[in-house]
Amino acid sequence: MTSSSLAAPLEVELRPDKPPILHVDPPGDAPGWAAAHREALRAQVTEHGALLVRGLGLRDADRIGAVLTRLSGGLMTEREAFAPRESHGHGLYSSTTWPANQPMCMHHELSYTLEVPGLMLFACPTAPEQGGATAVADAEQVLKALPAGLTDRFEREGWMLTRSYNDEIGASLEESFGTADRTAIESYCRANAIDFSWQADGSLRTRQRRSAVVRHPLTGRRCWFNQIAFLNEWTLAPEVREYLVDEYGEDGLPFNTRYGDGSPIGEDVVEQLNSTYEAHTRREPWISGDLLLVDNIRTAHSREPFTGDRQVLVGMGEPRRLADGCPTPEASER
């Protein structure tokens, strides 16, 4: 075990299989403590990609919202959500609704949007009985570990997200776009490079092409930054995928990912992506009151299956429009 002195006097515990952990004595004024230590905490996140802060005793939404707001400088309103969340105040949300027995594999939050959160903030007022860790993986290391032929194609073409909105699966139009008004939705899509088409039954289908590899805006280092595996049909449990295909058809799945040219991504590719993530995963079980800060561009995160009650509140901060967020013909030359 070693300690980092970049943001002295913070002493951070570093282990290869865990995110960096900072142990603190419970402050009487957690929001004030967060404001006073913001720069030191952000320095640690920049250096390591993530930081777990243990000891703040974050148990209620008001206190969590105040801490996250001070650390982020202001929380973002989520747009283009793929699944429902419960709001706990401006910019503070529940974790995404997802079956407890199903994992949410590694991904970068909202990597398919043009304005992405640079910082993810997670607070755990109630830890689960077992499992349920929000694990992390270094996107620089994942990129280096993946086969060059695969990453070259994705870097050249980008990746495509397809969505079919319905009233049963995933986020509704209003939950995703903040409105159900067709004109407003169309304006948003045009402004955010999203192709859209209204179906005969009134439902909406969209397509958007984004870069799979980007340069970090602060470090300049190349990162594997996308949700190719997470939102792909082959990551779903077999019985879930079979049901969705039977119900909506191959082209009508609530969400799916493809190569940037629209070609389907094979099951073997998705398995390789997920196994590479797993080889670079660091995890630490939640303890009630914990806070986790994640550099959303440098670091992917996941949610592991769990039992018992689990409550994790989420904030997104430091919005960034990445210069290379959309693929170009010159992408493969970078």
Side-chain angles (χ1 to χ4, degrees):
M1 180 174 68
T2 61
S3 295
S4 168
S5 60
L6 174 64
L10 302 183
E11 292 293 328
V12 177
E13 175 187 330
L14 300 178
R15 296 180 183 271
D17 59 338
K18 298 178 181 292
I21 302 176
L22 172 66
H23 297 272
V24 301
D25 294 327
D29 176 13
W33 182 93
H37 291 83
R38 178 187 178 194
E39 295 305 317
L41 295 169
R42 288 298 289 112
Q44 294 288 348
V45 175
T46 298
E47 180 178 7
H48 302 297
L51 178 67
L52 179 67
V53 183
R54 179 158 286 167
L56 289 179
L58 302 180
R59 299 299 187 95
D60 65 88
D62 288 343
R63 193 180 194 197
I64 289 170
V67 168
L68 270 53
T69 297
R70 283 162 175 77
L71 289 176
S72 66
L75 296 175
M76 299 171 58
T77 298
E78 184 179 33
R79 286 289 180 266
E80 301 183 50
F82 76 92
R85 297 183 189 270
E86 180 183 348
S87 175
H88 289 266
H90 177 71
L92 184 65
Y93 301 96
S94 67
S95 53
T96 300
T97 301
W98 201 259
N101 65 342
Q102 297 292 324
M104 296 177 68
C105 80
M106 286 290 174
H107 62 285
H108 299 261
E109 201 73 25
L110 298 179
S111 60
Y112 48 82
T113 63
L114 290 187
E115 185 172 78
V116 305
L119 178 68
M120 295 297 298
L121 308 97
F122 304 89
C124 180
T126 305
E129 292 177 5
Q130 290 184 325
T134 299
V136 295
D138 190 302
E140 296 177 28
Q141 296 177 3
V142 169
L143 176 60
K144 292 175 183 177
L146 288 169
L150 179 64
T151 58
D152 286 348
R153 177 174 182 180
F154 275 117
E155 189 163 13
R156 184 173 62 252
E157 298 180 6
W159 64 290
M160 181 180 293
L161 172 65
T162 62
R163 299 185 65 171
S164 295
Y165 292 85
N166 61 65
D167 295 329
E168 300 172 343
I169 304 292
S172 68
L173 289 177
E174 189 163 2
E175 288 167 333
S176 188
F177 293 101
T179 178
D181 179 75
R182 280 198 179 198
T183 301
I185 291 172
E186 291 174 2
S187 296
Y188 180 94
C189 288
R190 293 189 186 99
N192 287 274
I194 301 172
D195 295 329
F196 64 90
S197 62
W198 297 99
Q199 305 303 297
D201 61 0
S203 64
L204 176 68
R205 291 187 180 181
T206 62
R207 299 188 311 165
Q208 55 214 89
R209 192 162 68 103
R210 300 293 185 254
S211 296
V213 179
V214 302
R215 289 194 179 275
H216 194 284
L218 298 181
T219 68
R221 294 195 286 266
R222 296 166 69 245
C223 299
W224 180 251
F225 178 72
N226 54 73
Q227 284 164 255
I228 293 169
F230 176 46
L231 295 178
N232 188 273
E233 61 183 300
W234 296 113
T235 292
L236 297 169
E239 65 275 13
V240 175
R241 178 185 178 276
E242 182 178 353
Y243 166 79
L244 292 176
V245 171
D246 288 345
E247 187 74 12
Y248 301 107
E250 291 280 359
D251 294 330
L253 293 176
F255 47 82
N256 200 4
T257 60
R258 294 176 174 269
Y259 289 105
D261 67 357
S263 302
I265 298 172
E267 183 178 9
D268 58 329
V269 171
V270 175
E271 289 179 349
Q272 186 166 44
L273 294 177
N274 284 329
S275 63
T276 303
Y277 276 130
E278 179 57 34
H280 292 83
T281 290
R282 295 172 289 164
R283 53 175 58 84
E284 169 68 9
W286 283 112
I287 292 178
S288 296
D290 280 352
L291 170 70
L292 176 65
L293 308 177
V294 177
D295 181 326
N296 188 44
I297 300 170
R298 160 84 179 273
T299 305
H301 66 275
S302 65
R303 193 224 68 189
E304 301 184 342
F306 65 92
T307 60
D309 292 333
R310 177 187 188 271
Q311 186 183 24
V312 172
L313 300 185
V314 182
M316 308 171 205
E318 301 182 5
R320 297 187 181 277
R321 283 187 171 254
L322 302 177
D324 50 1
C326 289
T328 65
E330 298 77 26
S332 61
E333 300 175 7
R334 289 198 292 269

